[in-house]
Every structure is written in C-alpha cells, then in structure tokens.
Amino acid sequence: MDFSLLGVGLVLFIGMFSQWLSWRWSLPAIVVMTIAGVIVGPGLHVVQPENIFGPIMKSLISMAVAIILFEGSLSLDRDEIRHFRRPVRRMVTSVPFLSWILTAVATHYIIDLSWVVSFVIGGLFVVTGPTVIGPLLRQSKLKERPASLLHWEGVIVDPVGPLLALLALQIGLSVTGITEWTYLVLFFLAAATALISGYFIGYGMGYVFQKEIIPHHMQTSIMFVVVVLSFSLSNLLMPESGLLAVTAMGFAMANMGLDDHILENIRHFKEDIAILLVSAVFVILTATITREELAGMLDFRLLGFVLLMLFIVRPLSVWLSLIGTDLPAREKTLISWIAPRGIVALTVSSYFESILIKNGFDDAVLLLPMTLALVFTTVTAHGFTLTPLAKRLQLTKKS
C-alpha cells in the first residue's frame, strides 16, 4: 500500500498544527515548527520526507521557497520607507558584506577550515529570509521602522547570500586552477540576467493584469505559474539565481503603481499559501535531519562559532553599517540581535557541501553541521527573545 499521500497530509497537518499551537500558547511559530519536525523525524521516525516525496523533494522545497520569497517581495513598497531609506540601503548592502567577511574570518580561525570553504559559508550565513523573519514580526508586533528594516533585509538578502557563496566558490575554483576565470564572467552575466529578466517579467505581468488582458479570477493562478516557471528557468541558467529573479519580480510589481485590488488579490492568495508552505517546509527539513547530524552539532568548536556569530559578528556588522543613519540606539540594539537563519541556509548548504567535496575541499564536510547548529540556535534564541526585548526597548505597537 502506498502511504505517500498520507505522509503528505501528515506533514501539512503537523505544520499547521504547529502554527496554531504557537498562536494558542503565544510561542514563536518557527521554534514550534522546528521542534515538531525534529520529534516526528529523527526523534520518532514517524515522518521520513525522503520516502514520502522521493526524488522530487528538493525541487518541491525550492519551489516553495521561491513562492515565499516572491510573496515577501510583493510588500517591498519604496514609499513605505521614504523616511528611512538610508538605513534600509545599509541593511541590504553594508550589513551582508561585513557579515560575509567577518563570518569567513571566524570560520577560518575557529573551525580551522580553508579560506574557500570559509567564504562559501560566510555567504550562506548572511541570509535571514521571510520564512523566519515573517512569523517573528507577526508575533512581536514591532513598530514600523525596525519591522521594515528587518523585513527588507530578510527579503533582499535572501537571494544575495547564495550568490555570494557561489561567487566565493567560483573564485576559489579559479584561484586553485580547477576552473577557468571565464566562469567568473559567466557568473556575473547570469546574475545580471536573472535580475533584469525577473524585473521585466514582473513589470510585464503587472501590465497585463492592469489592462485586464487576464481576467481577475485567473490572475493569482497565472502569477503562481509564472513565478515557478521563471524560478526554474533562471536556475537552469545558474544554480540559485532563481531566488534573485523572483525577488525582482515581486519588487517590480510592488512599485509600478498597480491598482490596490490587483495587488491585494495576489498578496492575499500568496500570503495564505506562504503560511502553509513555510509550515510544511520547516517540518520537512527538520524531519530530514538524522540523529548523527544532530549529534554533530555538539562539537565545542561549533558552539564557539555560533556564540561568535550571535554576539560579535551580527552586532558588529549592524552597528558599523548604521553609523550616521540617525537610528536610535535602542533600534540598533534590537536589529543587531535579531538574525535567525532558516530555510534557504538549510536547503542550499547541502548543494555547496557536495560541490566543494567533489572538488577536493574535504573540510566542507562540516558545512551541514555548522548550518544546523546556527539555524537551531538562532531560531530558538531569537524566537523567544524578540518580543520581550522589543517590549523592554519600547519598540512594540500600542494595542
């Protein structure tokens, strides 16, 4: 008897039940989903995603991430940040760049990994993403400015992180003579193509929606299909570039002056789907983790690395980047603490680990345990502390 369909239903139920439980008990949703996935996966072996979804599991997760990221980018309205554009620009440029460098240095000297692997890891770990930031912001009810800064960073930097890792990998392979330098030129061309094509596809879809070339009742479904297709085609051109394409699509549509009813129609559908997908993907990814991988997180070097990421790398990156922005110290304090890593780091780490090991970087075997340790720690630490810290700093909205 085929129990695959039952497994799919179980994953969806566990994910949404975790969402409800977090709401009912006022707990961070991402923490509850993570714990639930570990319990039903490596804990009880009730859910085994590889057996349920088979060889298409990674493709389904990638598709879900693309939809979630597109939904997040639809809310990136430039008019909403017109009074604090400078700190937003810093959050999506200076902060990830400094974090990339500092993380690579920490990885090299604490974990004793090669510079190539360290810079790949540094790129991966700059991401936060709407899958982890979104649930926290909904629950904490932050004031507009700190919430917008964290949201813009999460959405914009989410596709940038894997590209930084890919850039580091390509430079490393070129320096060591494994590949030609021409591949580095192709990297930039592919990234530019993903960004430009994504923007114009988004603008084109907005135009045909505005002109009612596509009827209102079909718009969300067609948008769903276009997002998935654009993401897939871009990834064929260059791995992980699809995230950049769908982010550009959402940003273009959010800022082209579409009628409110068009954007609301798409946002409402995508938001409902995103909640379901975030829940399911978190359960799938955490249930896929093995007991051996969980045990690998107990390495004292990983603990030292995670503590450095929490208390040195993130605060230093934020405080240095936001110099001269006139943001109050209490907002910088909150933002410098909150940086949970989530789905993108987990899904992309296995890809880079396999590529690095294939090309002779055997120390990359620690990439997945490092990712797991950082994701579990940041999700738990930031999930439980955001709301109390925001209240203490008087950065929550009044009821």
Side-chain angles (χ1 to χ4, degrees), residues 264-308:
E264 285 305 313
N265 184 36
I266 298 172
R267 282 174 182 162
H268 180 71
F269 174 76
K270 289 287 192 294
E271 186 175 345
D272 289 343
I273 290 294
I275 292 174
L276 180 65
L277 293 177
V278 167
S279 307
V281 170
F282 253 103
V283 172
I284 291 171
L285 287 175
T286 50
T288 306
I289 298 167
T290 65
R291 293 178 181 178
E292 290 74 19
E293 289 169 341
L294 287 175
M297 294 165 51
L298 301 178
D299 189 325
F300 73 94
R301 294 177 302 168
L302 298 190
L303 176 60
F305 170 77
V306 169
L307 291 176
L308 195 67

Side-chain angles (χ1 to χ4, degrees), residues 314-336:
R314 173 64 176 185
L316 197 58
S317 299
V318 170
W319 281 89
L320 288 176
S321 297
L322 295 181
I323 291 174
T325 59
D326 297 326
L327 277 184
R330 56 199 179 103
E331 293 188 19
K332 293 179 183 177
T333 300
L334 179 75
I335 293 168
S336 68

Side-chain angles (χ1 to χ4, degrees), residues 66-74 223 227 246 249-250 253 270:
I67 294 166
I68 294 165
L69 197 55
F70 174 75
E71 187 271 330
S73 63
L74 277 175
M223 193 71 248
V227 168
V246 297
M249 287 174 62
M253 296 186 73
K270 289 287 192 294

Side-chain angles (χ1 to χ4, degrees), residues 138-195:
R138 278 194 295 270
Q139 201 155 19
S140 62
K141 298 178 181 178
L142 281 182
K143 287 184 177 179
E144 180 184 4
R145 186 164 57 191
S148 294
L149 287 169
L150 289 171
H151 177 66
W152 274 71
E153 179 195 22
V155 175
I156 297 295
V157 178
D158 218 32
V160 171
L163 291 181
L164 287 177
L166 202 59
L167 174 61
L169 173 64
Q170 195 57 63
I171 292 176
L173 295 179
S174 299
V175 168
T176 55
I178 297 174
T179 61
E180 298 292 334
W181 283 99
T182 51
Y183 285 95
L184 197 57
V185 177
L186 294 177
F187 166 85
F188 287 108
L189 287 175
T193 301
L195 182 64

